[in-house]
Amino acid sequence: MLDFKSNGVKIVGLHGMGGIGKTTLAKAVFNKILPHFEFRSFISNVRDLISRQEDGLISLQNKLMADLSITNLNNLESTDANASKIRKFVNEKNVLLVLDDVDEVSQLHALGATISKWQSDGRSRIIVTTRNRGVLGDQHYVNYLYEVKELYFEQALELFSYHALRRPKPTEEFMKLSKQIVTLTGNLPLAVEVFGSFLCDKRKVSEWEDALKKLEGIRPRELQDVLKLSFDGLDIENQRIFLDIACLFVNMRMKREDMIDILKGCDFKAEIALRVLEEKSLIKFTGDDTLFMHDQLRDMGRQIVQNENFADPGMRSRLWDRDKIISVLKNHKVPP
């Protein structure tokens, strides 16, 4: 679909549900073909970055233009003016661009990811990932659509085995249970990875049988319920830290050292806790040591806190929504 040796700009849209592997696939392709391009940029979490900043689109445009070495940056210019600069550059140059987790058409326009209406002199390639196929406009905004689907069973079994047993294939002792567990996760990569990590320190058949019984009560598509099994397997302190991350820290793009300082200030065993959460695939740290949590895991943690008192936010243990925080402060409601 990308056909990166041909002339002209080509845009490919990857769509599928959360946890299916869209970002992983985009990163793999980006790393494989980037030597063929003079300019490149990978913009992660477009939806989340825009929602957290008042001038989100302008900030992302400036980041993209800086990545591509587009000169004459002007923070005061409108999104339309910046978009025009980006589109002109993309059409004239040899650019590889990934826009990850887009959820509105306006983001495609602002970041130059629209099919050109004029002859292009460049050989740019743009990959867009989204959960919402409608954003891609049924090929009105992209040249090709690609639906990222669940793994084939054998692939899912291999992924599970790497995380649960640190080997490409389950041992004879655990083969039958492994196949049953993978089947119940619906071959969804994130669920397979997280649940495999949950079992990595368990070497008794009886423990795996217990995990299988829990999974049997969950439909494969109910991803958050699958992921919650890993949360339930944490001790109380690590559960508290996980919820702090899901509700608060993940929005702040914190560095590992900063998180450790804060958690130690709360008398938590910070280094051990973060290592446990990483080992169980509940959090990750990116190349620059920035905290990352998949939004399915974040939503699962926030749902746990909301369920503490669904009707009255003031009686919950954590608040992260600005409007709810203001409302609680005005009404002087604090948890017991």
Side-chain angles (χ1 to χ4, degrees):
M1 291 180 177
L2 288 168
D3 188 19
F4 55 83
K5 293 183 180 180
S6 66
N7 292 327
V9 176
K10 284 187 172 60
I11 306 175
V12 174
L14 309 182
H15 63 96
M17 68 178 292
I20 203 71
K22 301 182 295 298
T23 302
T24 300
L25 178 58
K27 284 181 179 178
V29 174
F30 181 86
N31 290 331
K32 184 174 182 179
I33 68 175
L34 67 83
H36 298 275
F37 296 86
E38 183 180 1
F39 303 93
R40 74 275 300 196
S41 179
F42 194 115
I43 308 293
S44 301
N45 304 314
V46 170
R47 171 173 58 93
D48 185 51
L49 289 173
I50 288 177
S51 68
R52 289 194 285 107
Q53 302 180 55
E54 189 172 331
D55 60 345
L57 272 179
I58 291 286
S59 296
L60 282 182
Q61 287 178 325
N62 285 333
K63 172 179 170 31
L64 175 56
M65 290 192 287
D67 286 350
L68 301 180
S69 301
I70 300 177
T71 57
N72 299 322
L73 299 182
N74 188 344
N75 291 330
L76 300 179
E77 287 194 339
S78 69
T79 56
D80 289 341
N82 286 334
S84 179
K85 284 184 181 180
I86 294 170
R87 280 196 299 273
K88 185 175 186 297
F89 190 90
V90 168
N91 275 277
E92 294 177 351
K93 303 294 183 179
N94 185 16
V95 176
L96 176 59
L97 171 61
V98 174
L99 304 177
D100 175 52
D101 199 14
V102 171
D103 70 338
E104 292 184 10
V105 173
S106 61
Q107 296 160 8
L108 296 180
H109 285 285
L111 297 172
T114 53
I115 296 175
S116 175
K117 296 181 180 179
W118 58 85
Q119 184 65 33
S120 171
D121 297 322
R123 290 193 297 111
S124 295
R125 297 296 180 266
I126 301 174
I127 301 173
V128 179
T129 77
T130 182
R131 297 185 185 190
N132 181 7
R133 176 175 173 170
V135 169
L136 304 175
D138 290 326
Q139 299 185 10
H140 290 147
Y141 299 106
V142 298
N143 297 98
Y144 300 103
L145 293 172
Y146 181 81
E147 181 180 3
V148 183
K149 297 182 179 180
E150 294 86 350
L151 297 171
Y152 292 115
F153 181 80
E154 290 303 320
Q155 294 173 323
L157 182 63
E158 182 179 354
L159 179 63
F160 175 81
S161 184
Y162 271 120
H163 283 279
L165 299 167
R166 300 294 188 261
R167 50 184 293 142
K169 186 177 180 180
T171 60
E172 189 64 32
E173 181 183 18
F174 289 101
M175 179 62 78
K176 183 178 179 180
L177 281 167
S178 295
K179 289 182 176 180
Q180 289 174 304
I181 290 172
V182 169
T183 297
L184 290 172
T185 61
N187 299 345
L188 193 68
L190 180 62
V192 171
E193 178 181 329
V194 170
F195 208 73
S197 299
F198 169 70
L199 290 168
C200 71
D201 58 348
K202 297 173 176 58
R203 290 294 177 264
K204 294 181 180 179
V205 171
S206 59
E207 292 177 312
W208 283 49
E209 289 174 338
D210 183 56
L212 176 62
K213 289 178 182 177
K214 290 181 179 179
L215 267 178
E216 285 176 336
I218 300 170
R219 288 176 293 174
R221 285 289 181 175
E222 292 176 338
L223 177 58
Q224 290 197 17
D225 288 340
V226 175
L227 302 181
K228 189 174 183 296
L229 294 176
S230 290
F231 172 81
D232 292 338
L234 299 172
D235 63 31
I236 296 297
E237 180 170 310
N238 288 339
Q239 284 185 351
R240 291 176 63 188
I241 292 172
F242 174 86
L243 294 178
D244 286 341
I245 292 172
C247 297
L248 308 170
F249 296 148
V250 73
N251 283 344
M252 302 166 67
R253 298 183 61 79
M254 295 191 70
K255 302 291 186 180
R256 183 194 293 266
E257 288 187 5
D258 295 331
M259 280 200 60
I260 289 174
D261 287 342
I262 292 173
L263 293 173
K264 281 185 174 180
C266 299
D267 292 327
F268 288 133
K269 303 175 185 67
E271 288 95 339
I272 295 175
L274 295 183
R275 178 172 55 80
V276 169
L277 294 179
E278 280 189 278
E279 288 176 351
K280 294 187 177 297
S281 298
L282 294 172
I283 62 171
K284 294 179 182 179
F285 287 93
T286 61
D288 63 353
D289 232 17
T290 300
L291 171 71
F292 171 80
M293 175 183 281
H294 193 281
D295 48 10
Q296 291 280 0
L297 291 162
R298 177 203 64 199
D299 293 346
M300 180 264 290
R302 292 182 176 186
Q303 189 63 55
I304 290 171
V305 173
Q306 288 174 337
N307 289 342
E308 293 172 354
N309 194 311
F310 192 80
D312 186 356
M315 300 305 292
R316 298 173 194 165
S317 59
R318 297 159 182 84
L319 293 172
W320 57 92
D321 180 85
R322 180 182 183 279
D323 292 338
K324 287 186 172 60
I325 292 171
I326 296 299
S327 176
V328 168
L329 291 175
K330 284 182 177 178
N331 291 304
H332 305 288
K333 295 179 180 178
V334 294

